[in-house]
Amino acid sequence: MSHVAHELAEEFPEEKDKIQELNQKNNHFAKLTEEYHSVNREIHRIETNFAPADEGYEKQLRRQRLALKDEINHMLKQA
């Protein structure tokens, strides 16, 4: 299995325990992380040409991933 960059554990290595805790206790946070992982994996499939897509769609996914990451980061700081 290939390495998937931008996993949350890599993006927030010091927050691994907090991410796990929030995923268990906060449904909204769990939904955000699930969506982040889904978008991130779709980007990875595009980058590896497993699921080629046009540049506009890839940019849209990257913006979506960044917005999710920002919201996750905000919730981590508030916790």
Side-chain angles (χ1 to χ4, degrees):
M1 182 172 208
S2 64
H3 176 72
V4 179
H6 299 282
E7 291 292 333
L8 287 175
E10 294 173 358
E11 295 292 322
F12 304 104
E14 67 287 344
E15 304 287 2
K16 286 181 192 179
D17 293 338
K18 195 182 288 187
I19 289 170
Q20 185 176 8
E21 179 183 340
L22 284 171
N23 269 326
Q24 293 173 352
K25 294 182 178 181
N26 185 315
N27 289 335
H28 179 65
F29 187 85
K31 184 178 176 185
L32 288 174
T33 59
E34 183 179 321
E35 186 175 354
Y36 177 91
H37 288 300
S38 176
V39 170
N40 188 51
R41 287 189 175 90
E42 179 69 18
I43 292 169
H44 180 69
R45 286 190 290 274
I46 292 168
E47 290 174 339
T48 59
N49 289 320
F50 185 75
D54 66 58
E55 189 176 326
Y57 179 65
E58 184 178 356
K59 285 182 179 181
Q60 174 190 348
L61 288 173
R62 289 179 184 278
R63 285 191 299 271
Q64 184 180 359
R65 178 176 65 186
L66 183 58
L68 289 164
K69 182 180 166 186
D70 287 345
E71 189 170 353
I72 289 166
N73 184 43
H74 177 74
M75 290 183 76
L76 286 170
K77 287 181 179 179
Q78 297 298 314

